[in-house]
Amino acid sequence: MDDPTRRPVCYCGLVTEIKTSWTTGNPGRRFFGCKNHASLRYKSCRFMQWYDPPMTPRATVVLNGLLRKLNGLERGRKKERIIWVCLVIVMMLFLICK
């Protein structure tokens, strides 16, 4: 299916959305999915149809490696922010109690 404007209809009868898979088996691969997928308000119909062709095994390995590095960097950045906030709080307490 080369035309994203011609989207299939899911089991609910709704026009599907193009979503992106971030699983280790299909990182970055787009698919048509139900709008109610994983919705708390509606029972999910679990409709799914691939939009992109399968990736080569090498591309999957490379993407998963890049995603692991990105996640590690994001975790490190989050820890860094927490340390800075704690440092600022300690400095403010030091200045107030002085």
Side-chain angles (χ1 to χ4, degrees):
M1 182 162 289
D2 295 332
D3 185 10
T5 59
R6 299 197 60 185
R7 298 179 293 175
V9 175
C10 70
Y11 306 131
C12 300
L14 301 173
V15 176
T16 57
E17 298 177 331
I18 294 180
K19 300 181 178 198
T20 304
S21 168
W22 292 111
T23 62
T24 55
N26 294 294
R29 190 173 175 197
R30 295 176 299 171
F31 64 96
F32 293 106
C34 177
K35 293 179 182 182
N36 293 332
H37 182 71
S39 171
L40 299 176
R41 289 179 44 182
Y42 304 103
K43 185 177 179 184
S44 177
C45 73
R46 300 274 187 216
F47 177 87
M48 184 272 212
Q49 178 182 340
W50 290 114
Y51 175 74
D52 291 332
M55 291 189 194
T56 63
R58 177 70 182 144
T60 302
V61 168
V62 169
L63 271 174
N64 283 327
L66 290 171
L67 287 171
R68 273 193 301 278
K69 284 184 180 183
L70 178 64
N71 289 337
L73 290 170
E74 287 175 346
R75 280 191 302 272
R77 182 74 176 128
K78 188 175 183 179
K79 287 179 185 177
E80 188 178 296
R81 263 188 251 128
I82 291 170
I83 290 169
W84 275 106
V85 168
C86 290
L87 183 62
V88 168
I89 291 171
V90 167
M91 293 295 288
M92 289 175 67
L93 289 173
F94 178 75
L95 293 173
I96 290 172
C97 295
K98 194 174 181 185

